[in-house]
Amino acid sequence: MTVPLGSLPLGFRFHPTDEELVNHYLKRKINGRIRSDVEVIPEIDVCKCEPWDLPDKLLIRSDDPEWFFFSPRDRKYPNGHRSNHATEAG
């Protein structure tokens, strides 16, 4: 679901710094303090999505080539440290 245009200020452009991503979004996400009515970073399992399907998962449509998603870590092996990065198409 995309964010309704009426709920964002005119000229809104989502281009956070690394510090803003960590301090404002990631910390709040971990602590469960992100308000759902102003959520701009969707939570999806990017390792289960094909790259060409990712634009449809964005909450804010933009021509910007940089996208942001929260994604859970998926282990390749139950007791290992390697992440699983393979999609169905490879």
Side-chain angles (χ1 to χ4, degrees), residues 53-79:
D53 293 333
L54 289 176
D56 292 335
K57 308 287 185 190
L58 294 171
L59 295 178
I60 299 174
R61 301 289 180 235
S62 170
D63 293 332
D64 195 332
E66 187 172 44
W67 305 329
F68 300 94
F69 298 104
F70 287 118
S71 183
R73 285 192 80 175
D74 185 20
R75 301 276 184 208
K76 189 170 184 115
Y77 305 107
N79 295 329

Side-chain angles (χ1 to χ4, degrees), residues 29-85:
K29 178 70 172 173
I30 291 169
N31 293 325
R33 294 187 328 209
I34 288 184
R35 292 189 359 228
S36 61
D37 60 329
V38 292
E39 186 176 33
V40 293
I41 302 175
E43 182 173 337
I44 64 166
D45 191 344
V46 294
C47 294
K48 301 226 184 315
C49 296
E50 304 303 335
W52 48 85
D53 293 333
L54 289 176
D56 292 335
K57 308 287 185 190
L58 294 171
L59 295 178
I60 299 174
R61 301 289 180 235
S62 170
D63 293 332
D64 195 332
E66 187 172 44
W67 305 329
F68 300 94
F69 298 104
F70 287 118
S71 183
R73 285 192 80 175
D74 185 20
R75 301 276 184 208
K76 189 170 184 115
Y77 305 107
N79 295 329
H81 295 286
R82 292 184 61 194
S83 295
N84 186 12
H85 294 292

Side-chain angles (χ1 to χ4, degrees), residues 17-31:
T17 63
D18 291 344
E19 184 177 340
E20 289 168 332
L21 282 171
V22 171
N23 290 327
H24 185 75
Y25 293 99
L26 185 58
K27 280 185 181 178
R28 288 180 181 202
K29 178 70 172 173
I30 291 169
N31 293 325

